[in-house]
Structures are given as C-alpha cells and as structure tokens.
Amino acid sequence: MTEKTGTLYGVGVGPGDPELLTLKAVRLIEAADVVAFFAKKDRPGHAFRITGDRISKSAISMRLEYPYTTEIPVDNPKYRAAMANFYDTSAAMIATHLREGRNVAVLCEGDPFLYGSFIYLFDRLEEFTCEVIPGVTAMAGCWAEAAAPMTRGTDVLNIVPGTLDEDQLTSRLTGADAAVIMKVGRNLPKIQRALARAGLADRAVYVERGTQKESKIERLSEKTDEPAPYFSLVLVPGENPSA
Amino acid sequence: MTEKTGTLYGVGVGPGDPELLTLKAVRLIEAADVVAFFAKKDRPGHAFRITGDRISKSAISMRLEYPYTTEIPVDNPKYRAAMANFYDTSAAMIATHLREGRNVAVLCEGDPFLYGSFIYLFDRLEEFTCEVIPGVTAMAGCWAEAAAPMTRGTDVLNIVPGTLDEDQLTSRLTGADAAVIMKVGRNLPKIQRALARAGLADRAVYVERGTQKESKIERLSEKTDEPAPYFSLVLVPGENPSA
C-alpha cells in the first residue's frame, strides 16, 4: 500500500482577534488531518486559543510544548540544546504524519515567517511539500488598535527584537524614521534606556495584547513599573508629514 | 432631523489573493454603505480587484483616482500640490457621507498603516470615529510565496522604500540582518547598485505580484533588464542559523 505524502501548512492566524483570521487560514484549519500548535507549559497556547473552535473534531491535535520560554536566558547552552531537541522531536512527529499521507497544519501566531517558531520546523522538513499562509502580524494588529499610522512616503521602518543588548538596540534604533520593538517582556527597562539614548522615547507607544479583549495601550513614557508580558510591543510611529 | 455620524473604516484587504482577506474585512466590506478605493487612471484599482464581488449591490461606490502615480517624480512640486489637492477633495467627499450617517469603508491594499494612501485620508478626517482593520501585508504575501523565512531570533528587519536615493538606500541596508525593499518599479537598477554596495546582492530575491496568479519569483542577480512593476518587492531573508 502506497500513500500520497501529506502537505505541511504553516498557517498564520493573526494577532489575537479570531476575526483577523484569513479565509484561507480558516479553510485549511477546518480541513487539516493534523493540527499542531506551540504552547507554553500550563497554558492553552495563544494560536490554539485564537482558532480552537475551527479545528475539525476528527482532526488529530498535536500540542508542542516548549521546554522553556523565558525561564532561562536564550544564550544559556542548556536552553539552546533543549530547544534544538524540542524542534527535532516535533519535526520528527510531523514527518511521520506527512509520510503516512496526512496534511498537517501548524498554527502560527501572527505571520509564520516573521520570528515564528514555525521556521524551525520548516528548516527541518525541507524534503516535504510546504505551503505558508501569511497572516496579519502582531505589530499590524497593534498599530491599527493604537490608531498609529507607521510609515508615509520614504519612511524606513526598523523591526528590532527587544532581546538584543542595550548597545545593539540603541544602534539599531538611532536614526530610524519608525520602529517596532518586538519581544518586550522583561526587556522593557533596557528598551526604555535604548529609546532614550536614540532620542525616540517621547514618540514610543506601548501596546499589550493588541486586538484582544484585554488589550492595553499607553505612551511608553507614562508606563509605570509593572512587568510587561512577552507578547507586548513598542511602536515608534514615523513623523513624515502628510501628503 | 439629526443623524448619527458614520464610522470611517480603513480596511486592509491583503496582498492580492482574495482568500487572504480577513473575516473582519469581509464583514465590514459587505456591510458598508459607501465603499471607497484608490485607482490609477484607466485601471480598475488593485484593492477593488481583490474585493469587488464582496461589495453590496446597494453600496455607494467611490472611485478615488490618483492624479499621478509614477508619471512625474514625487519631489516635483506639481506632484505634491496635485496629490494634496486630491486627498483634500477625497476626504471632503468622505466627510459628507460620514456626516449624513453613512459608514464608509476605504479598501486598502496590504495593511492600511504601512505606506498606505489611506493614511492621508486618516490624517484629514481626525474628527470622525475611525477603525482600522489590519491586513496581510504585501511583503508577508511575498515571503510566504517565495518560501523565504525572514527573521529568526535576534535578526533585525529593515523595511526600506526603493524611492530613497542610492546613498540613503545603501546606508539603510548596510548591516541589515534582513531587509524588504518596497516600491521597486523603475527604481530597480538603483536598488541593485545599493544592494551590491551593502554586500547583500547575492541574497536578494525579487518578487512580482506576490500571491496573485501572475506572480513571479527569481533571484535578483538573475533578473534581466525587463522593467519591474511598482508593486514588486525585493526580499533579503535573514541568515541567522536555525535553533
């Protein structure tokens, strides 16, 4: 008995509001034989929360639980080894389904190819047919909700992970017309210092859980010392004059 | 007789494939009293082509025709004056509908707040209630179709308009981990020179009409001298190693 190999789908599910799923994402999630999603220990998984009720009752659900998220620093060798092993194991499980002819949809918050964990599966599953369905990014959800037009005309937009060190952050932000700082979380104080050094602190807007019910938007300069969740963002909208 | 003022919706309609509309965009386009869209002279308008059959038969259709697109340079004072006048007039027509209680959906290719013409209406219609519906960006559509993961880990992504001059382009690209160059069109030879000076020419991928039937993807280094349409992009994917 030979079976046709399945297709791997990396499905962007958008920033949080289930209505920001695309028609294509809905169609593929509803039809998938296997639906995989990443989740933090003891959490339902953000992508799963967005799409949960779209998954077919007959689909095989595959929860991929990160060994670590923010418990230890990303440059700790123990972190790296555990994550590499986690992606190897996850990719092997998905490969088994694909070889047995089942289509596998991997749910991806935002867009799969912009800092997505999906990339590490894609890198390991090159031998299979893969289609990526782009999604509304977290940052686009946040700047829409903040009513903050980001770039006009010749503005350059720099997208910078908050996990860089303070000097790197400062140099990547200096001279930016507009910027988005991702992966804020515990990096917030460092980000605030880098923005001040780059002369951008006054324009920065903090957005937490954009497009979700519990969203919060405030000027970064007015933010008190409360901790920020990992999926918060800082926006620095461009200042190019209107046409 | 007093009427409730209408709401202005800036609706992202994605990069081209009508299946990349979000559920929210579909709902608002179908329900809108007035649907406005930008178009180039003698063309149907890209956003209108994506969503045309979703618009209610009873909706008022408002075609906003650019006085110029690429006929004269953007720094020509005649261009600036004509465009400012065009946005003033368009905003005034929309304001009339809003004051008379009609909801107005402005269709926006990609995402409304990333280089969108919608921003120039938004800037002029601040007095009205406005909601922006984020969309899948053109670049996300292109990198998905090119099977090109853009950023891993600490990669910084620079989004750069091809309309900058060669020295500015070079300086904004130098040292970038990953980059997207928008608004390619007739700027292509200049962009190729800037990428070579920044040491990124070998990694650059050219994408034309991403997610559409007529899409074209090739290594930029292999692209011949044919002209590029305005809505083509150049991607420089990040090279960070996999986890």
Side-chain angles (χ1 to χ4, degrees):
Chain A
M1 191 178 98
T2 57
E3 300 201 60
K4 197 167 157 282
T5 303
T7 297
L8 173 65
Y9 295 100
V11 183
V13 302
D17 177 352
E19 236 197 330
L20 293 175
L21 280 164
T22 63
L23 302 172
K24 189 167 188 176
V26 169
R27 173 171 64 82
L28 291 171
I29 293 166
E30 288 177 348
D33 302 311
V34 180
V35 176
F37 56 94
F38 292 98
K40 190 173 168 168
K41 198 164 181 293
D42 302 325
R43 298 283 183 86
H46 186 48
F48 180 76
R49 278 209 305 168
I50 297 171
T51 51
D53 53 357
R54 301 270 176 196
I55 300 169
S56 160
K57 295 267 182 294
S58 62
I60 298 168
S61 176
M62 188 191 287
R63 180 183 160 91
L64 306 173
E65 190 173 289
Y66 294 114
Y68 300 110
T69 47
T70 55
E71 297 83 356
I72 59 174
V74 295
D75 52 2
N76 184 324
K78 196 174 149 194
Y79 175 90
R80 291 179 183 228
M83 292 303 279
N85 179 57
F86 164 64
Y87 290 121
D88 286 344
T89 309
S90 301
M93 290 194 297
I94 289 170
T96 299
H97 286 297
L98 294 171
R99 283 197 197 95
E100 292 175 356
R102 286 183 281 277
N103 293 331
V104 180
V106 180
L107 309 178
C108 310
E109 296 150 27
D111 179 84
F113 275 172
L114 191 69
Y115 304 106
S117 295
F118 174 74
I119 297 174
Y120 305 123
L121 300 177
F122 175 86
D123 289 339
R124 287 165 169 81
L125 294 165
E126 282 188 342
E127 69 192 279
F128 296 98
T129 303
C130 176
E131 189 183 348
V132 171
I133 290 77
V136 174
T137 56
M139 60 188 182
C142 289
W143 66 54
E145 186 153 340
M150 289 300 289
T151 50
R152 296 176 184 82
T154 54
D155 279 334
V156 173
L157 173 63
N158 291 0
I159 302 172
V160 183
T163 44
L164 289 172
D165 72 32
E166 185 180 326
D167 286 343
Q168 289 171 317
L169 270 175
T170 305
S171 91
R172 299 310 195 112
L173 290 168
T174 300
D177 300 311
V180 175
I181 304 162
M182 316 272 293
K183 309 182 185 187
V184 171
R186 68 175 61 167
N187 301 300
L188 187 60
K190 175 181 65 181
I191 292 167
Q192 287 173 308
R193 291 191 300 272
L195 282 163
R197 287 171 60 188
L200 298 173
D202 293 346
R203 285 158 56 194
V205 178
Y206 171 83
V207 188
E208 190 174 306
R209 303 183 201 285
T211 82
Q212 297 170 62
K213 283 201 194 76
E214 330 81 81
S215 69
K216 198 158 89 176
I217 300 169
E218 57 192 318
R219 293 191 151 279
L220 186 62
S221 58
E222 289 164 10
K223 180 159 171 58
T224 52
D225 284 340
E226 295 155 33
Y230 186 72
F231 281 110
S232 49
L233 288 182
V234 172
L235 305 174
V236 181
E239 292 188 309
N240 224 341
S242 198
Chain B
M1 193 177 97
T2 57
E3 300 200 60
K4 196 166 157 287
T5 302
T7 296
L8 173 65
Y9 296 99
V11 183
V13 301
D17 177 353
E19 236 198 330
L20 292 175
L21 281 164
T22 63
L23 302 172
K24 190 167 188 177
V26 169
R27 174 170 64 83
L28 291 170
I29 292 167
E30 288 178 347
D33 302 311
V34 180
V35 176
F37 55 94
F38 292 98
K40 191 172 167 166
K41 197 162 180 295
D42 302 324
R43 297 284 183 86
H46 186 49
F48 180 75
R49 278 209 305 167
I50 297 171
T51 52
D53 54 355
R54 301 270 177 197
I55 300 169
S56 161
K57 296 267 183 293
S58 61
I60 298 167
S61 177
M62 188 190 286
R63 181 183 159 93
L64 306 172
E65 190 173 290
Y66 294 114
Y68 300 111
T69 47
T70 55
E71 297 82 357
I72 58 175
V74 297
D75 53 3
N76 183 322
K78 196 172 149 194
Y79 175 89
R80 290 177 185 231
M83 291 303 280
N85 180 57
F86 164 65
Y87 289 121
D88 286 346
T89 308
S90 302
M93 289 194 298
I94 290 171
T96 301
H97 285 297
L98 294 170
R99 283 196 197 95
E100 291 175 356
R102 287 183 281 277
N103 293 332
V104 179
V106 180
L107 308 178
C108 309
E109 295 149 28
D111 180 85
F113 275 171
L114 192 69
Y115 304 107
S117 295
F118 174 74
I119 297 173
Y120 305 122
L121 300 176
F122 176 87
D123 288 340
R124 287 164 168 82
L125 294 165
E126 282 188 341
E127 70 192 278
F128 297 97
T129 303
C130 176
E131 189 183 346
V132 171
I133 290 76
V136 174
T137 56
M139 61 187 181
C142 290
W143 66 53
E145 186 152 339
M150 289 300 289
T151 51
R152 297 175 184 81
T154 55
D155 279 333
V156 172
L157 173 63
N158 291 1
I159 301 170
V160 183
T163 45
L164 290 172
D165 71 32
E166 186 180 326
D167 286 344
Q168 289 172 317
L169 271 174
T170 305
S171 90
R172 299 311 195 112
L173 290 168
T174 300
D177 300 311
V180 175
I181 304 163
M182 316 271 295
K183 309 183 186 187
V184 172
R186 66 175 61 167
N187 301 299
L188 186 60
K190 176 181 67 181
I191 291 166
Q192 286 174 309
R193 291 193 299 273
L195 282 163
R197 287 171 61 188
L200 298 173
D202 293 345
R203 283 158 55 194
V205 179
Y206 171 82
V207 188
E208 190 174 306
R209 306 187 198 281
T211 83
Q212 298 170 61
K213 282 199 197 80
E214 331 80 81
S215 68
K216 198 157 89 177
I217 301 168
E218 56 192 320
R219 292 191 151 278
L220 186 62
S221 58
E222 289 164 11
K223 183 161 168 57
T224 52
D225 284 343
E226 295 155 34
Y230 187 72
F231 281 111
S232 49
L233 288 182
V234 172
L235 305 174
V236 181
E239 293 187 309
N240 224 341
S242 197

